[in-house]
Structures are given as structure tokens and as C-alpha cells.
Amino acid sequence: MKKASLVAYLKTKRVLFKLVGIFLIASGLVLAFAWSAGLIGGRITTRTFLKDTPKTYLAGYRRAHGKGICFEGTFRASGKGVPFSIARVFAQQKVPVTGRFSLGSPDPYAPDNSTRTVSMALMLTADDGEQWRMKLNNEPYFATRDTEGFLEQVEAYKPVSNTGAPDPARVAAFLKKHPEAQKYVKWDATAPWTRSFAGAQYNVINSFILIDANGKKQVIRWSMRPHAEFTSWSVRQRKQASHDFLFEDLKKRLEKGPLYWDLVLTLAEPGDPVNDPSQVWPENRRQIVAGTLEVSHVFDQTKGGCRDINFDPTRVPKGITLSDDPVLAARAGIYSHSHSDRVREIGYGKATDAVGKHQKDNAGNK
């Protein structure tokens, strides 16, 4: 083979090797992306938690806690959180708040007596531009220690076709594998149902970490403790309650004046289960009232405001950071997917009721 031909041959081979190398790298990246997204391998991802969303789900609504109402208010710091964190929200006298009250049902038209779970979501914006977003429920703890357990719980409690109730054998197997859930099941069966958003205490079930000016860290959980008295439904009252009882009650109360909740920080001590949301901390843990939330008025979520906010609980300001709670880490992705889906639906004109339009008003966008 002549020298010139040999050189040309080798160059051709080098090009082929490079092309093959590029192809292998690209293929590897595609496979890695598909695996991380849960498209192959059966891996649990944050999308897994939304897989049971009905195909007919109304566009523009949250995939969980679909029925809700926006509110605006003010957080007034007490100053007692300042020694534990450099976050401005603990020092600023008045912090504007946008939030949302909701039912613990995915159905945006659920009757208010259909679930015992009520929720409060908040976005506090400090004068340094830092935001603190949070999502709290009236439940005192999470059912399972991790996200895999939660998914197994959902499957175990699905009703079977012939009885319309969960399969007792499946439930028993689940509780055997996740004994920590027995505490939640008992609470769910016996705890009184709140008959007012105003009198409910809303709890953060995950742990977070405060960081002070010297870098010292303090693990906390917190609650929004109401000033209004807690009132509960009897079984009879709950069955007879009007479709929108809780939301109408909230509006009536606010017509008379603002509603208040104290932000109560609970400080962990060594040995406390800070990365297991199914476990409660001892009752004698030190608590600090870091400030008070004043809710001044509510408005329909179709008007925007809270509707387009992603109340991702991992969005915390400087001076607060996340614990290694696996449930907390999963929530960020779940909230992101839900937010992206509904914003996309609204942006492409697919949403009707969620933005205050009737189907016929939106016909031109189809």
C-alpha cells in the first residue's frame, strides 16, 4: 500500500473511531437520563408519585390539594429566632405573605367533609429578596419513614373491585413491613375532624436546620399554632355539612377581622429522629414563638396569586437549610412536576375552570 493511501486509510479509521466514540458517549448519556427519569429500569422517581393522576384531571389545577383559596397577610417576627438563624424573616418587623388554604384531596370540587386533612401553604418574602416557602398540614406526622413506604401504603389501601374496600391481607402485610405507620392509622381513625381552617394547627413534618451568624446549626421542626379555638365536627355534623362549609366559614370569620397563627419552632436535641418524619419528638423539647402570622383576607385562586406559586418546602432563605430527611428531598421534585404541568396547561390555553373560564370561553384555544 502506498504511503499516501495508507495515510488516507488511517485518517478514515480515526474518523470512524471518533464517530463511534461520540455515539457511545451520547448513547450512555441518553440511557443515564432515561434511568434517572425512571423511563427504564423501574426506578422510583418523583414522577412515580403522580402516576395515578387521572387522564381526565382538570387542567391547570394542582395534582394534590386541588381545592383551595388564596390569602394575603403579614408575618411579624418576635426576634426570638434571631439567635438561631441569620434569616431576615426572624428579624424583620413586617414580612409580606402570600398563601393558600386547601383540602387534602386532589379533587378541586371535593366536598369539605370528604377528608380530614386541611393545609396551609406560605411564601414569605423578606426585604433582602430571600423567600421562605412552606407547606403544612394538620397531620402531626407522616405515615412512613420514607417515600417508598408511602407508595406501598397507597397500593395497600387501594379498594378492590369486589368489596370496594382495601384488601385486609395487603394492609396487614404493609403494616408488618412498616410498623411505624400503625401510629398514623390509629390517629386517622380516632382524631377529631376540624370544622374550621381558623382553629387548625398546621405542622411541618420534616426537619430543617437553622444556621446562626457563627455557623452554629440547630435542627428544628415548626408549627403554625392558631389563636382561634379548635372546634371539631361530630359524625352527624360532618355528614350534614354543606359542600363548601370550611371555605365559607373562613370567609365569614375574616369579614369580622384578621386571623392569627404563631410560628412555633421546636428545637431538636441529640438523639432525636431528625431524618424520620414518621417519628415525633419528646414533648419536653424547647419551643420558641418566632413570630405571628396575620391573615387579612382571602380571594379565589382563579385570580392568580397563590395559584401560580410552587410552594416547594425546600425553597428556604439563607440561614435555613435542609436536613437529610428522604421525604423532604422527594417533595421538591414532586412539587416541581406538578407546578410545571399546571403552568404548561394554563400557558397553552388548556385550563378553563382553574383560571376562571368556562369551556365555551376557551374554545378558541383548543
Side-chain angles (χ1 to χ4, degrees), residues 64-306:
H65 299 261
K67 185 177 182 179
I69 193 168
C70 299
F71 70 80
E72 289 182 342
T74 304
F75 176 74
R76 292 178 171 84
S78 67
K80 293 182 180 179
V82 173
F84 300 92
S85 173
I86 59 174
R88 276 290 295 159
V89 291
F90 293 125
Q92 190 176 330
Q93 289 189 342
K94 293 184 179 181
V95 179
V97 178
T98 300
R100 184 175 183 265
F101 292 105
S102 63
L103 289 184
S105 167
D107 182 1
Y109 296 106
D112 289 2
N113 60 359
S114 62
T115 174
R116 67 157 59 254
T117 304
V118 291
S119 302
M120 172 191 283
L122 300 167
M123 182 178 74
L124 289 70
T125 305
D127 54 15
D128 61 356
E130 294 277 325
Q131 291 184 345
W132 188 8
R133 304 187 189 190
M134 59 180 84
K135 176 69 165 55
L136 312 92
N137 294 334
N138 63 328
E139 298 172 349
Y141 33 72
F142 200 60
T144 59
R145 60 184 177 271
D146 53 30
T147 53
E148 290 82 5
F150 173 75
L151 290 173
E152 291 173 21
Q153 179 190 24
V154 171
E155 290 298 320
Y157 280 85
K158 280 184 177 179
V160 294
S161 57
N162 59 331
T163 65
D167 180 350
R170 269 193 200 173
V171 172
F174 163 75
L175 292 175
K176 183 178 181 180
K177 184 176 180 181
H178 295 278
E180 75 275 12
Q182 294 181 13
K183 176 173 74 279
Y184 179 89
V185 171
K186 182 179 179 180
W187 173 85
D188 187 53
T190 59
W193 288 48
T194 183
R195 60 177 296 174
S196 174
F197 283 112
Q201 175 171 304
Y202 302 96
N203 308 299
V204 165
I205 57 170
N206 306 113
S207 301
F208 291 77
I209 303 170
L210 300 182
I211 305 173
D212 69 12
N214 298 316
K216 184 180 178 181
K217 297 180 179 180
Q218 171 64 56
V219 180
I220 62 162
R221 290 176 181 169
W222 67 84
S223 300
M224 284 292 182
R225 188 171 63 195
H227 287 199
E229 182 181 0
F230 175 81
T231 56
S232 62
W233 270 328
S234 66
V235 174
R236 182 180 178 184
Q237 288 174 328
R238 190 171 79 238
K239 289 181 177 179
Q240 295 176 346
S242 61
H243 189 275
D244 300 312
F245 181 91
L246 294 177
F247 290 91
E248 293 303 320
D249 171 77
L250 181 64
K251 294 173 184 176
K252 290 176 182 177
R253 287 173 181 261
L254 285 169
E255 286 174 359
K256 299 177 182 179
L259 296 171
Y260 298 93
W261 284 262
D262 289 332
L263 172 59
V264 181
L265 307 180
T266 301
L267 280 57
E269 293 185 7
D272 288 343
V274 298
N275 61 355
D276 184 348
S278 70
Q279 300 301 314
V280 295
W281 295 350
E283 293 183 359
N284 63 353
R285 291 296 174 260
R286 182 183 176 187
Q287 294 187 327
I288 296 169
V289 178
T292 300
L293 169 68
E294 176 186 286
V295 174
S296 55
H297 69 280
V298 293
F299 56 97
D300 197 287
Q301 60 184 4
T302 61
K303 297 178 181 178
C306 73

Side-chain angles (χ1 to χ4, degrees), residues 18-73:
K18 287 179 180 179
L19 289 174
V20 170
I22 292 171
F23 173 78
L24 290 173
I25 293 171
S27 298
L29 289 173
V30 169
L31 289 171
F33 174 80
W35 180 83
S36 64
L39 302 177
I40 59 173
R43 179 171 174 264
I44 293 176
T45 71
T46 51
R47 271 288 182 195
T48 309
F49 293 86
L50 302 174
K51 67 181 177 66
D52 288 331
T53 302
K55 299 293 183 183
T56 57
Y57 196 83
L58 289 171
Y61 282 104
R62 282 173 163 81
R63 273 43 183 174
H65 299 261
K67 185 177 182 179
I69 193 168
C70 299
F71 70 80
E72 289 182 342

